[in-house]
Amino acid sequence: MTRQPETDLWWKKTTVYQIYPRSFMDSSGNGIGDLEGIISKLDYVKDLGVETIWFSPFYTSPQEDFGYDIANYKDIAPEYGTMANCDKLIQEIHDRGMKIIMDLVLNHTSDKHPWFLESKSSRDNPKRDWYVWQDGKKPKGKAPPNNWQARITGSGWYYDENTDQWYWAQFLPFQPDLNYRNPEVKAKMFGTVRFWLEKGADGFRLDIIDSLYEDAAFRNNPLSRHLLPSEDGVLFKSTKMTMHHPDTMIFVQELRKLIDEYSNPSRFLVGEVEGPMPTIKKYCGEVNNPGLNSIFLFETLGVKLQPKTIRKLLNKFNQYYPDPFIPTWVSSNHDIMRRISRFNNDLEIAKLNAALQLTARAVPYIYYGEEIGLQQNSIPLSDSLDAVVSRFRKLPKVIQKLLQKITSEAIHRDNCRTPMQWTPSQNAGFCSPSIKPWLPVSSGYQDRNVETMYNNPDSILHCYKRFLQIRKQYSVLNSGRMTLIASELLPKQVLGFSRWIKTSDVKEEVNIFLNFEDTLVEFSNPTASKNIIASTTIVKAENNEQKIILRPYEAIIME
Ligand code: GLC
């Protein structure tokens, strides 16, 4: 099989748009987004300028975790459509020259998956060992086998009365972990990967892949010195036995070998891995035995927009992900507070954030709606549908309110999953005005919607379009190196960096300047660039070779 040369690897230079299928576009009239709805909006996605679409799961599922609880990996949830709709979706994406990334939940299935139903039916069922079952603590076995905590706090062991054993679930109780020490499970899931590769998937996003294997001897997690999530645990308990197991690293290397069998075009893996940089970098494997192609680097989700902090982060990404590696730059996703709402929903700051994301040396991941300034909703906890919040409902109202205020991103995921806003009409054009959408539309949709923003050339939507376009046009922006401009050469509120490519005789270069404050700033141009090729605003500042003027929160690219 012929491999493409390194430089042609599309996934290194692409831009990714994440669609949460339930919330993108309802075509069937039930208030829930679906595949035909998505297909009807593909021209919009293409026109936006993104090159790859990642879909949160739309496989058969009881939807207790809205698709991250799968009951059949090779079929489509009926509320979203059929396999025929899915084949059409893949085809239509490819016809437009775009790529598709499927979300793959390998760690666990739904507890309604036929495999788990069989597994729990008796201790001697042939599928018993497909999941992680253990006896409880002696003498009566009525206490969990060990001290392992699930991600969502509390013991991750659940008692099954019928067979008098406990099963392990790293995330929520209805998401039992598969047992990858059983070769049948591994073979089955590798088969699933091939099934989707053969259908045309261009890559996979691997859900909580860091939790795939646990300690084979079920040893207790040791104590940690840390209360907050850190290198060696959380809430004073280490996650040594339950996360980042060496066998998981071996697994991702095997998976990489599998997907590398498919070339023309090449495929890729991006992993959801949490932890400090040196730990998560290990998932990339070694040059001769690679693992994941890329990893979500979630520090970008909450990072403060300050020149000093961003400078540090860019340096860190460069240090850990030098060529041939490439970092990722994620602003928002379906689990976390929408980034714009960390900036008081300010559209100008959101444009600056977009400019940074689309010019940094990284693969950008844009979450649907970011391009129109879609805001975090504020649905009360009592009305939430997300299973993660259910455990907070028992708490007194005052504590609930306090918790929501301080940790809204962690406990209330409905608020970042509200319908896409297409028009200023009721329900924002996501579904008919006479239907109740599955989640209430966020406030501000009368102005923050695709139709209205299309008509305003200075809108955030057009800002995204300009930067996405220029990123495609200038190869330095999608595959060049990055060098920070010395801070002594710039005013305090400005960050500058260059993106460049040097071949034996030519050096291509563009320079990016970002103003992080709401005041106009003027400074001498520290580079040889002369012309502005993109700005977050359409009103071009009067810049020239010697002098640069940036308006409040303006970011520009110069060549
Ligand atoms: C990941 C997903 C999240 C899901 C969880 C369990 O973190 O992003 O939405 O609930 O895994 O699958």
Side-chain angles (χ1 to χ4, degrees), residues 278-327:
T279 308
I280 66 181
K281 177 68 196 303
K282 285 188 195 146
Y283 286 81
C284 291
E286 297 110 39
V287 177
N288 296 329
N289 192 11
L292 301 181
N293 304 68
S294 59
I295 290 167
F296 288 128
L297 303 175
F298 288 139
E299 279 167 78
T300 48
L301 290 164
V303 69
K304 286 214 167 85
L305 272 188
Q306 289 168 344
K308 219 170 130 193
T309 325
I310 300 294
R311 178 174 278 279
K312 259 199 194 151
L313 195 60
L314 286 168
N315 263 335
K316 191 171 169 188
F317 281 8
N318 247 6
Q319 179 198 340
Y320 281 95
Y321 294 86
D323 253 5
F325 299 106
I326 184 86

Side-chain angles (χ1 to χ4, degrees), residues 257-277:
K257 277 198 193 93
L258 189 165
I259 67 139
D260 278 354
E261 284 175 31
Y262 294 74
S263 57
N264 200 16
S266 51
R267 320 292 169 102
F268 93 112
L269 301 170
V270 54
E272 187 195 23
V273 181
E274 270 174 44
M277 206 65 107

Side-chain angles (χ1 to χ4, degrees), residues 65 68 108 171 175 205 207-208 272 334-335 413 417:
D65 191 15
Y68 286 92
H108 49 265
F171 205 73
Q175 292 164 316
R205 176 256 184 197
D207 190 71
I208 58 166
E272 187 195 23
H334 62 290
D335 291 331
R413 301 183 300 176
R417 298 172 173 180

Side-chain angles (χ1 to χ4, degrees), residues 225-244:
R225 282 175 294 126
H226 297 105
L227 169 66
L228 298 173
S230 71
E231 206 158 324
D232 81 324
V234 63
L235 295 172
F236 303 117
K237 282 218 178 89
S238 151
T239 47
K240 197 165 174 225
M241 305 296 163
T242 43
M243 279 176 82
H244 310 303

